[in-house]
Amino acid sequence: MTRRTDWAEYDARPTAAQGRAGAGAYDDAVDGAAGHDIEAGDGAADGPRRGGRSRGGAGPRGRRRRGGFGDPPGGAQDDGPSDSSRAEREKPSGDPAERARNICLRLLTGTPRTRKQLADALRKREIPDEVAEEVLSRFEEVGLINDSAFADAWVESRHHGRGLARRALARELRTKGVDSTVIDEAVGQLDSEQEEETARDLVARKLRSTRGLDRDKRLRRLAGMLARKGYPEGMALRVVRQALEEEGEETEDLGFAE
């Protein structure tokens, strides 16, 4: 007979873990394909940073980057080797539903996950689809899975922590299986004025490192940095042009309007 497990015992367990992975924990997350698409090009296009970057994760000022939203402790990626190794060492339950609950709880202890991420993990562990669907639906009912809250917190953190624009944020959330309607609502937190203000801050921080280069190269480097972070071309060029003009560069012949 299949043992029925009381759901109440699960309702409170991941709460502390979810609290630890609040909006601040998302900063500097480079997670999965989307993170690499956006950030991997910064060094290639902008030149080597002073001091370099160690393989251990230290940034250009020697600060170690924090694990971000979606990253399990220890730097493993979603459903990474540490979870697999742990699962293999544990004696599996004969009840697929209990196994599914344990897998989900273990993954949620490290960081919030989307329903799609958990579904992929259960499929990899060969949990029957109908069992996975039932367990995941129950987790949503008790608030342990909330893709809307996940997306809101992701946008808040990644915009303020990494300076990503709406287009880049939407791309990242799509890779995590978040529904397009939920994504639209989450990125709708940002408007064009907020994006442009963040773009100006990014350019101001980068501008000094381009001094000594010719104007066109500075323009390409700074605009390329903004493009990789998802900013529209027109906004990127306008912001960079204005920053260069403030430094005394002539920009009237650049061929684009304000």
Side-chain angles (χ1 to χ4, degrees), residues 104 114-124 129 132 136:
C104 290
T114 65
R115 178 170 178 142
K116 173 68 161 52
Q117 288 174 310
L118 292 173
D120 289 344
L122 295 181
R123 190 173 299 110
K124 186 180 295 185
D129 290 345
L136 293 173

Side-chain angles (χ1 to χ4, degrees), residues 189-200:
Q189 298 176 42
L190 304 175
D191 57 30
S192 296
E193 290 183 2
Q194 288 175 293
E195 280 192 324
E196 185 157 338
E197 181 179 353
T198 302
R200 293 183 190 282

Side-chain angles (χ1 to χ4, degrees), residues 5-195:
T5 303
D6 187 357
W7 275 98
E9 66 180 287
Y10 297 107
D11 289 356
R13 288 178 56 186
T15 303
Q18 289 182 321
R20 290 197 302 271
Y26 308 159
D27 294 348
D28 263 359
V30 177
D31 181 276
H36 291 295
D37 288 344
I38 296 163
E39 300 302 329
D42 284 354
D46 299 338
R49 294 179 173 87
R50 294 181 180 178
R53 175 176 291 177
S54 70
R55 291 184 180 275
R61 295 185 178 86
R63 295 179 298 175
R64 183 169 295 277
R65 291 170 61 184
R66 293 176 295 167
F69 182 49
D71 294 334
Q77 296 295 325
D78 289 349
D79 193 26
S82 59
D83 293 322
S84 300
S85 300
R86 248 193 330 268
E88 290 170 1
R89 288 197 299 269
E90 294 171 359
K91 183 178 179 180
S93 167
D95 180 3
E98 183 176 355
R99 286 184 57 218
R101 288 191 290 269
N102 289 337
I103 290 167
C104 290
L105 286 169
R106 186 164 58 247
L107 293 175
L108 289 168
T109 297
T111 181
R113 313 276 175 146
T114 65
R115 178 170 178 142
K116 173 68 161 52
Q117 288 174 310
L118 292 173
D120 289 344
L122 295 181
R123 190 173 299 110
K124 186 180 295 185
R125 303 291 202 280
E126 299 183 349
I127 301 295
D129 290 345
E130 63 275 12
V131 174
E133 181 69 20
E134 181 180 354
V135 169
L136 293 173
S137 294
R138 181 56 178 161
F139 268 59
E140 283 187 324
E141 288 177 13
V142 299
L144 299 182
I145 300 174
N146 188 331
D147 282 4
S148 180
F150 180 104
D152 288 345
W154 185 274
V155 167
E156 172 71 16
S157 173
R158 297 283 280 172
H159 178 72
H160 293 291
R162 302 288 293 190
L164 301 187
R166 288 174 290 185
R167 183 169 57 188
L169 292 166
R171 182 167 60 240
E172 288 189 336
L173 289 170
R174 280 195 298 271
T175 69
K176 298 184 181 304
V178 179
D179 182 78
S180 59
T181 302
V182 175
I183 292 174
D184 290 343
E185 292 176 354
V187 299
Q189 298 176 42
L190 304 175
D191 57 30
S192 296
E193 290 183 2
Q194 288 175 293
E195 280 192 324

